[in-house]
Amino acid sequence: MSDYPNLLAPLDLGFTTLKNRVLMGSMHTGLEETKDWQRVARFYTERAEGGVALIVTGGMAPNKEGGVFPGAAGLFSDEDIANHKIVTDSVHAAGGKIAMQILHAGRYAYGKGCVSASAIKSPISPFAPTELDEEGIEKQISDMVTAATRAREAGYDGVEIMGSEGYFLNQFLVTHVNKRTDRWGGSYENRMRLPVEVVRRCREAVGEDFIIIFRLSMIDLIPNGSTHDEVVQLAQAVEAAGATIFNTGIGWHEARIPTIATSVPRAGFAWVTKKLMGKVDIPVITSNRINTPDVAEDVLSDGCADMVSMARPFLADSQFVAKAASGRGAEIAPCIACNQACLDHTFSGKLTSCLVNPRACSETELLITKATARKSIAIVGAGPAGLSTALTAEERGHNVTLFDGSDRIGGQLNYAKQVPGKEEFHTLIDWYETMVATSSITLKLGKRVTADELTGFDEVIIATGVKPRDPAIPGQDNAKVCSYIDILTGKVEAGDKVAVVGAGGIGFDVSEYLVHQGESTTLNRARWQEEWGIGDPEDQRGGLSPEGAQPEAPARLVTLLQRKNERLGRRLGKTTGWVHRAVLKMKDVEMIGGVNYESIDDSGLHISFGETRENPTLVEADTIVLCAGQLPERTLADALAAAGTPCHIIGGADVASELDAKRAINQGTRLAAAL
Ligand code: NAP
Ligand code: SF4
């Protein structure tokens, strides 16, 4: 029997059958906006070939006013329908099914002319919406119905109507945004009229044999959000109006509680979906932080849902289902929920990709083909850059030897995994270990290779990473000074008062590590919920606990410093930086910018402010941790240059500034694809 009997069981929808219980959730990739329809088709088709039962596209605007941003894609013309048909035909040819998401952003639309229930601006957009009148509401319904019928014409198997995450339909449901006194506002019956009407009219228009998924906000995580009883009341009305499946939405975008970040416990909200089970008769899908087949199987066998939705895991590995079904679950490239190449890109107007898999959304451009000539390739450094180069080169048929001075692979990932909330880095290193072990790569660990030993290879690749930058603070040879590596490897136990020099990604990580004590709350859902103030939506409106956030007391008094005179953490990930800042705030970390580091002595770190070095201040500290950024580690590259041996330099050894695993893996994969 399969390891995943629930996950791989078919789901009979009456007029059609889904081949398993896995839905690829909607993601805005930016691909549709490229208008390169072969590229869009290839992206979805690879996922269909990988065995996912049903794909939901990124959100398509039903009209101009409902688009997430000006120019957002939608089915507005016959040409659009023909283009989308390229995608649906290709997915069907691969044996897949695909539904189009209809996304009306309401007051989340990033542009003038946005509309909503009432003229109340959202905290995450500078644009105030116009309050719709009766005629305006009818137009929105009618445009959504038109989008559904056009989706059917374009060959889609169904639509997903976005009713969660604080978008347009969700905005009508809560008094937080809906202040109307007409038949679309006031009582809950009135407030839920719009989503029910949209589903009813869509069903009427598309006929019976067409999937309508309704994305239901099961926990709003905002003040004055819906209660669980209201969610159930809406669900039952939406079912009666003709929905085929419910998908779960968790939290409005304006909620100040993380819902998909890497520090969210795996399947951390499946318990919320479970509350709907048995209260409706159509299948229910759960979502959020489900990233392995084992987690998905557990969620289903616990009766939390009939199906699981995973979105980002299908960027990391298009073959997720096929690998799970063939007993190769350990070979699934894991989504580590970092958002670095997906959501951070989306919100910066860049095309989506994946830190772990740079081919995501570049399937027609980044081709990994068999090499015409088999080369012997030496790669020095088994961090993310070296590993991705080695695996890609080996996949292409090259003869690869991978060296590292350490006794384990992973490089800097081994430090990241020590940080509470970054446990997924263990998963990534485990995956690299599996993939190297199942490959023909010759792995030479504990081997500090010299330039002399690198002769005789066809290609030499230097991926030796980074070394910590020396901030050269007078007195830093004091015994209380150490590097972030000493802290994260446990070599140095910090004292009660700690000053952290440098507030980049690592300064933040180290501060989180230092204020934390005991088990990571990411591994303890109940504690994590308390920490963020998540309550039970059956008892509290919106699922916000009346006690608010209840963080544990900080393990140490930490002061985090930087020289730049700007908000600390401003350059962290666009969609996750706020989580890191909130954690440190909860733990009373003092954040000081605009400093000069004057000196270090037995009393602590002496700083001053501004160009005139005014306001001399002592930051009392038992331990001072240096996190002042990185420099390329090029000792070996320089020796090779001196010996006249040509080499490629990649990752941190190439450019250290703001190095991250995304750039390292992308660079390594692309180099290997071209060798
Ligand atoms: P970083 O992000 O470049 O930050 C370096 C910090 O050191 C800055 O705060 C900088 O601020 C300070 N600094 C630079 N030169 C200094 C000097 N001479 N003396 C004193 N301070 C100095 O580098 P990192 O923190 O080492 O992180 C490396 C990379 O790892 C990051 O860029 C990031 O991409 C990745 N990473 C990401 C995350 C994440 O959450 N996404 C987490 C960990 C690591 P001032 O110049 O203002 O003092
Ligand atoms: Fe997952 Fe990070 Fe890849 Fe996004 S970039 S899909 S969060 S691993």
Side-chain angles (χ1 to χ4, degrees), residues 340 422 469 471 501-507 509 562-564 572 580 597 627-630 658-660:
Q340 280 176 249
K422 289 206 160 177
R469 178 189 283 127
V501 171
I506 291 178
D509 274 1
Q562 73 177 17
R563 298 173 307 171
K564 282 186 285 298
L572 295 177
H580 297 295
Y597 302 113
C627 307
Q630 319 285 341
E658 307 218 329
L659 170 77
D660 60 32

Short mmCIF file of all heavy atoms in Angstrom, two decimals, residues 340 422 469 471 501-507 509 562-564 572 580 597 627-630 658-660, ligand 1:
data_model
loop_
_atom_site.label_atom_id
_atom_site.label_comp_id
_atom_site.label_asym_id
_atom_site.label_seq_id
_atom_site.Cartn_x
_atom_site.Cartn_y
_atom_site.Cartn_z
N GLN A 340 11.35 34.36 -0.32
CA GLN A 340 12.37 35.22 -0.90
C GLN A 340 12.29 35.37 -2.41
O GLN A 340 12.54 36.45 -2.92
CB GLN A 340 13.77 34.74 -0.49
CG GLN A 340 14.14 35.18 0.90
CD GLN A 340 15.48 34.64 1.34
OE1 GLN A 340 15.55 33.80 2.23
NE2 GLN A 340 16.54 35.09 0.72
N LYS A 422 13.41 28.91 12.05
CA LYS A 422 14.03 28.60 10.74
C LYS A 422 14.32 27.11 10.63
O LYS A 422 15.28 26.70 9.97
CB LYS A 422 15.30 29.42 10.56
CG LYS A 422 15.02 30.90 10.34
CD LYS A 422 16.11 31.58 9.58
CE LYS A 422 15.61 32.87 8.97
NZ LYS A 422 16.65 33.60 8.27
N ARG A 469 32.96 39.97 7.97
CA ARG A 469 33.67 41.24 7.84
C ARG A 469 34.16 41.69 9.23
O ARG A 469 33.44 41.53 10.22
CB ARG A 469 32.74 42.29 7.26
CG ARG A 469 33.38 43.67 7.14
CD ARG A 469 32.37 44.73 6.75
NE ARG A 469 32.02 44.68 5.35
CZ ARG A 469 30.76 44.61 4.89
NH1 ARG A 469 29.75 44.57 5.73
NH2 ARG A 469 30.52 44.58 3.61
N PRO A 471 34.73 44.54 11.65
CA PRO A 471 34.31 45.94 11.78
C PRO A 471 35.39 46.84 12.39
O PRO A 471 35.22 48.05 12.44
CB PRO A 471 33.10 45.85 12.71
CG PRO A 471 33.31 44.62 13.52
CD PRO A 471 34.08 43.67 12.66
N VAL A 501 26.22 43.84 16.95
CA VAL A 501 26.75 44.85 16.04
C VAL A 501 26.39 44.46 14.61
O VAL A 501 26.90 43.47 14.09
CB VAL A 501 28.29 44.96 16.20
CG1 VAL A 501 28.89 45.84 15.11
CG2 VAL A 501 28.63 45.48 17.58
N GLY A 502 25.46 45.20 14.00
CA GLY A 502 25.04 44.90 12.63
C GLY A 502 23.64 44.32 12.63
O GLY A 502 23.36 43.33 13.32
N ALA A 503 22.76 44.97 11.87
CA ALA A 503 21.34 44.58 11.89
C ALA A 503 20.88 44.13 10.52
O ALA A 503 19.78 44.45 10.07
CB ALA A 503 20.49 45.74 12.41
N GLY A 504 21.72 43.36 9.82
CA GLY A 504 21.30 42.73 8.58
C GLY A 504 20.53 41.45 8.90
O GLY A 504 20.11 41.23 10.05
N GLY A 505 20.37 40.59 7.89
CA GLY A 505 19.64 39.34 8.10
C GLY A 505 20.22 38.55 9.26
O GLY A 505 19.48 38.00 10.10
N ILE A 506 21.54 38.53 9.37
CA ILE A 506 22.16 37.71 10.41
C ILE A 506 22.04 38.38 11.78
O ILE A 506 21.77 37.70 12.79
CB ILE A 506 23.62 37.38 10.02
CG1 ILE A 506 23.56 36.42 8.82
CG2 ILE A 506 24.40 36.78 11.19
CD1 ILE A 506 24.87 36.00 8.24
N GLY A 507 22.17 39.71 11.85
CA GLY A 507 21.97 40.40 13.13
C GLY A 507 20.57 40.14 13.68
O GLY A 507 20.39 39.91 14.89
N ASP A 509 18.66 37.50 12.89
CA ASP A 509 18.59 36.07 13.25
C ASP A 509 19.23 35.81 14.61
O ASP A 509 18.68 35.11 15.45
CB ASP A 509 19.34 35.24 12.20
CG ASP A 509 18.46 34.87 11.02
OD1 ASP A 509 17.29 35.27 11.01
OD2 ASP A 509 18.96 34.18 10.11
N GLN A 562 22.95 49.42 14.34
CA GLN A 562 23.49 49.60 12.99
C GLN A 562 23.94 51.04 12.81
O GLN A 562 23.50 51.93 13.53
CB GLN A 562 22.46 49.23 11.93
CG GLN A 562 21.34 50.25 11.78
CD GLN A 562 20.36 49.92 10.66
OE1 GLN A 562 20.30 48.79 10.20
NE2 GLN A 562 19.58 50.90 10.25
N ARG A 563 24.80 51.25 11.84
CA ARG A 563 25.31 52.61 11.60
C ARG A 563 24.34 53.42 10.76
O ARG A 563 24.22 54.62 10.95
CB ARG A 563 26.67 52.52 10.90
CG ARG A 563 27.72 51.81 11.76
CD ARG A 563 29.00 51.60 10.99
NE ARG A 563 28.73 50.91 9.73
CZ ARG A 563 29.61 50.74 8.77
NH1 ARG A 563 30.84 51.19 8.91
NH2 ARG A 563 29.29 50.10 7.67
N LYS A 564 23.66 52.79 9.83
CA LYS A 564 22.72 53.52 8.98
C LYS A 564 21.63 54.17 9.85
O LYS A 564 21.12 53.52 10.77
CB LYS A 564 22.04 52.59 7.99
CG LYS A 564 22.91 52.23 6.82
CD LYS A 564 22.17 51.42 5.79
CE LYS A 564 21.94 49.99 6.19
NZ LYS A 564 23.09 49.16 6.40
N LEU A 572 15.12 43.86 5.14
CA LEU A 572 14.79 42.42 5.21
C LEU A 572 13.72 42.11 4.17
O LEU A 572 13.20 43.01 3.53
CB LEU A 572 14.28 42.07 6.61
CG LEU A 572 15.29 42.21 7.76
CD1 LEU A 572 14.61 41.89 9.09
CD2 LEU A 572 16.49 41.29 7.56
N HIS A 580 9.91 39.51 11.52
CA HIS A 580 11.15 39.55 12.31
C HIS A 580 11.16 40.79 13.22
O HIS A 580 11.54 40.71 14.39
CB HIS A 580 12.38 39.56 11.40
CG HIS A 580 12.49 38.31 10.57
ND1 HIS A 580 12.70 37.08 11.13
CD2 HIS A 580 12.39 38.10 9.25
CE1 HIS A 580 12.73 36.16 10.17
NE2 HIS A 580 12.55 36.77 9.03
N TYR A 597 30.48 53.16 16.16
CA TYR A 597 31.05 52.26 17.17
C TYR A 597 32.38 52.88 17.62
O TYR A 597 33.34 52.91 16.84
CB TYR A 597 31.27 50.86 16.60
CG TYR A 597 30.00 50.25 16.06
CD1 TYR A 597 29.83 50.02 14.70
CD2 TYR A 597 28.96 49.91 16.92
CE1 TYR A 597 28.66 49.47 14.20
CE2 TYR A 597 27.78 49.36 16.43
CZ TYR A 597 27.64 49.15 15.07
OH TYR A 597 26.48 48.62 14.59
N CYS A 627 28.06 41.00 13.80
CA CYS A 627 27.28 40.53 12.63
C CYS A 627 27.38 41.62 11.58
O CYS A 627 26.37 42.15 11.12
CB CYS A 627 25.82 40.32 13.01
SG CYS A 627 25.54 39.27 14.42
N ALA A 628 28.61 41.99 11.24
CA ALA A 628 28.85 43.18 10.42
C ALA A 628 28.93 42.85 8.94
O ALA A 628 29.61 43.54 8.17
CB ALA A 628 30.12 43.87 10.91
N GLY A 629 28.27 41.82 8.51
CA GLY A 629 28.25 41.47 7.09
C GLY A 629 29.39 40.55 6.71
O GLY A 629 30.12 40.04 7.57
N GLN A 630 29.54 40.36 5.42
CA GLN A 630 30.42 39.30 4.92
C GLN A 630 31.35 39.82 3.83
O GLN A 630 31.02 40.78 3.14
CB GLN A 630 29.58 38.17 4.30
CG GLN A 630 28.33 37.82 5.06
CD GLN A 630 28.61 37.03 6.32
OE1 GLN A 630 29.68 36.44 6.45
NE2 GLN A 630 27.66 37.01 7.25
N GLU A 658 25.10 41.34 0.65
CA GLU A 658 23.71 40.90 0.65
C GLU A 658 23.54 39.54 -0.01
O GLU A 658 22.53 39.25 -0.64
CB GLU A 658 22.81 41.94 -0.02
CG GLU A 658 23.01 43.30 0.61
CD GLU A 658 21.77 44.12 0.75
OE1 GLU A 658 20.89 43.98 -0.09
OE2 GLU A 658 21.70 44.90 1.71
N LEU A 659 24.58 38.72 0.14
CA LEU A 659 24.48 37.37 -0.41
C LEU A 659 23.32 36.64 0.25
O LEU A 659 23.10 36.74 1.44
CB LEU A 659 25.75 36.57 -0.11
CG LEU A 659 25.56 35.09 -0.47
CD1 LEU A 659 25.66 34.88 -1.95
CD2 LEU A 659 26.47 34.20 0.28
N ASP A 660 22.56 35.94 -0.50
CA ASP A 660 21.63 35.01 0.13
C ASP A 660 21.56 33.75 -0.71
O ASP A 660 22.10 33.69 -1.82
CB ASP A 660 20.25 35.63 0.36
CG ASP A 660 19.61 36.08 -0.91
OD1 ASP A 660 19.85 35.45 -1.95
OD2 ASP A 660 18.85 37.06 -0.87
P1 NAP B 1 24.00 42.19 5.66
O1 NAP B 1 22.57 41.92 5.51
O2 NAP B 1 24.74 42.80 4.52
O3 NAP B 1 24.15 43.11 6.96
C1 NAP B 1 25.37 43.54 7.41
C2 NAP B 1 25.16 44.45 8.63
O4 NAP B 1 26.42 44.83 9.08
C3 NAP B 1 24.39 45.68 8.31
O5 NAP B 1 23.47 45.91 9.36
C4 NAP B 1 25.44 46.77 8.26
O6 NAP B 1 24.79 47.92 8.75
C5 NAP B 1 26.53 46.25 9.15
N1 NAP B 1 27.87 46.61 8.72
C6 NAP B 1 28.39 46.60 7.47
N2 NAP B 1 29.68 46.95 7.48
C7 NAP B 1 30.00 47.19 8.77
C8 NAP B 1 31.18 47.61 9.40
N3 NAP B 1 32.30 47.83 8.72
N4 NAP B 1 31.15 47.77 10.74
C9 NAP B 1 30.03 47.55 11.44
N5 NAP B 1 28.87 47.16 10.87
C10 NAP B 1 28.86 46.97 9.54
O7 NAP B 1 24.79 40.89 6.01
P2 NAP B 1 24.47 39.71 7.03
O8 NAP B 1 23.62 40.13 8.15
O9 NAP B 1 25.80 39.13 7.32
O10 NAP B 1 23.64 38.73 6.18
C11 NAP B 1 24.17 38.17 5.01
C12 NAP B 1 23.06 37.84 4.08
O11 NAP B 1 22.43 36.64 4.50
C13 NAP B 1 21.96 38.88 4.08
O12 NAP B 1 22.20 39.91 3.18
C14 NAP B 1 20.80 38.10 3.71
O13 NAP B 1 20.60 38.13 2.32
C15 NAP B 1 21.10 36.68 4.17
N6 NAP B 1 20.22 36.43 5.28
C16 NAP B 1 18.92 36.68 5.12
C17 NAP B 1 18.08 36.47 6.16
C18 NAP B 1 16.63 36.72 5.99
O14 NAP B 1 15.94 36.90 6.95
N7 NAP B 1 16.09 36.74 4.80
C19 NAP B 1 18.54 36.04 7.36
C20 NAP B 1 19.89 35.80 7.51
C21 NAP B 1 20.74 36.03 6.46
P3 NAP B 1 25.48 49.35 8.86
O15 NAP B 1 26.43 49.46 7.70
O16 NAP B 1 24.34 50.29 8.83
O17 NAP B 1 26.15 49.34 10.17
#
